[in-house]
Amino acid sequence: MKTLELVIENGLWFDGQGSEPQLRHIGVSGGRVVAVSEAPLTGHRVIDAAGKWVMPGFIDTHTHY
């Protein structure tokens, strides 16, 4: 796989399908998620999301957790 524009690594991935969240690395190119991987990815920009939730496409303007 080519080098991605952005990698969000070590985030707790919620797939939006009701599956249990999993620790994943997310690859983004052209403003779209193009890879969801258990293995590390290479990107021009890398964000460490350890301890954070990653929910692409989910927009919630007001919540109480």
Side-chain angles (χ1 to χ4, degrees):
M1 175 178 280
K2 67 179 184 175
T3 301
L4 301 159
E5 293 172 15
L6 171 67
V7 172
I8 303 169
E9 61 184 16
N10 303 313
L12 192 58
W13 165 258
F14 289 78
D15 67 5
Q17 303 295 313
S19 301
E20 290 294 318
Q22 303 288 325
L23 187 66
R24 294 289 184 264
H25 308 286
I26 314 306
V28 179
S29 282
R32 296 182 181 267
V33 173
V34 296
V36 178
S37 176
E38 291 182 46
L41 299 170
T42 302
H44 293 288
R45 181 173 171 218
V46 177
I47 297 172
D48 184 7
K52 307 286 191 281
W53 292 3
V54 180
M55 300 178 287
F58 178 78
I59 300 171
D60 188 359
T61 58
H62 181 85
T63 63
H64 296 269
Y65 293 109

